[in-house]
Amino acid sequence: MPARMRFPAQALEELRKTDPETQISLKLIRKLVHSGVIPSIPVGNGRRRLLNYDALLAYLVHPTEDKPEQVHGIRRINEQAGA
């Protein structure tokens, strides 16, 4: 099945069809696209982006999956690994 590609405003419109009371905003969708959380491709002169609508839905269901683990503090580096 091919990916359902939408502009952010179209994605919000489809989301509102299935959930009219959604609290998801266009600003949030654009932020997710800009940060690379939701896969997208540039179109036209590169200023507009099409996002993968199915990836947006998957992220909204499980927002913490596929998120890189953050390391806190200082980590020891193996000095012999580069030698």
Side-chain angles (χ1 to χ4, degrees):
M1 179 170 158
R4 296 186 291 172
M5 303 301 284
R6 306 286 187 269
F7 289 111
Q10 293 171 325
L12 181 59
E13 185 178 313
E14 283 207 31
L15 191 57
R16 286 186 174 155
K17 285 179 186 176
T18 57
D19 181 10
E21 307 266 333
T22 186
Q23 296 300 306
I24 303 300
S25 67
L26 184 56
K27 185 176 181 176
L28 173 65
I29 294 173
R30 287 181 174 152
K31 182 179 176 183
L32 293 171
V33 168
H34 180 72
S35 65
V37 172
I38 305 299
S40 65
I41 57 169
V43 293
N45 63 4
R47 291 186 48 134
R48 297 188 72 194
R49 298 191 76 80
L50 283 171
L51 64 95
N52 183 326
Y53 182 69
D54 296 313
L56 173 64
L57 294 178
Y59 175 81
L60 294 174
V61 172
H62 301 288
T64 57
E65 286 185 8
D66 298 330
K67 192 174 185 180
E69 184 180 321
Q70 290 185 340
V71 177
H72 300 284
I74 299 174
R75 296 179 298 156
R76 171 173 244 121
I77 297 176
N78 185 356
E79 294 177 7
Q80 295 178 355

